[in-house]
Amino acid sequence: MKDEEVAEFLAQPLVAVLAVDDPGWSPHVTPVWFHHLPDENRFQVMTPSSSRKTRLHRTGTGELSLSIQSVEGATARYVNMQGVARFLPLDPDLLNAMVSKYLPEEARAAYLAHPPEDSMFDITPRRITTAVID
């Protein structure tokens, strides 16, 4: 995919799969909402500070992988990203962007009143691969 196609694809409310190294085991994999900042070439993922992915990130290398995919008929599209993440307090702008992207308007106020996330990963990609498979 070209850069503008990737940005358009990543703007959709797709669920990503986040993988964090779990030493001695296979990677810890979990579905997540994500936000892509195309102008800065960064990805953001909200998370509770007490989650397993957060604990593994804190004790590991800081590297994460995201896989975002969709299938429409016989056509599959994906963006895979490997990068290094910083663990930060949740940015209110990110919370609002995620809620607007993923939830219908009538569900947003309730989510914003008591979000389960209080932290975020701010991920700088080291490698991004994309494909369209027909």
Side-chain angles (χ1 to χ4, degrees):
M1 287 188 267
K2 296 178 181 169
D3 288 348
E4 56 274 355
E5 293 172 304
V6 170
E8 185 177 305
F9 176 76
L10 295 174
Q12 297 177 58
L14 301 169
V15 173
V17 176
L18 175 75
V20 182
D21 188 35
D22 189 352
W25 295 91
S26 58
H28 174 68
V29 178
T30 186
V32 295
W33 292 350
F34 71 94
H35 182 62
H36 178 236
L37 301 161
D39 294 339
E40 301 172 35
N41 192 32
R42 290 191 353 255
F43 290 79
Q44 296 175 324
V45 172
M46 299 186 307
T47 184
S49 60
S50 61
S51 69
R52 183 169 182 183
K53 60 185 166 286
T54 299
R55 288 191 312 271
L56 290 169
H57 176 267
R58 284 182 177 148
T59 60
T61 64
E63 296 185 16
L64 304 173
S65 295
L66 277 180
S67 180
I68 303 112
Q69 54 197 331
S70 71
V71 177
E72 295 175 25
T75 303
R77 290 173 165 55
Y78 70 83
V79 173
N80 290 336
M81 185 277 308
Q82 292 91 25
V84 177
R86 294 181 304 142
F87 183 70
L88 303 168
L90 181 60
D91 182 331
D93 291 338
L94 173 61
L95 176 61
N96 287 313
M98 293 283 224
V99 167
S100 295
K101 180 178 179 180
Y102 286 97
L103 295 178
E105 192 168 338
E106 63 274 8
R108 294 175 185 168
Y111 194 95
L112 289 169
H114 302 287
E117 302 87 1
D118 58 3
S119 304
M120 62 184 263
F121 293 119
D122 186 71
I123 309 165
T124 302
R126 290 189 317 159
R127 178 173 52 190
I128 297 176
T129 54
T130 69
V132 176
I133 304 166
D134 290 313

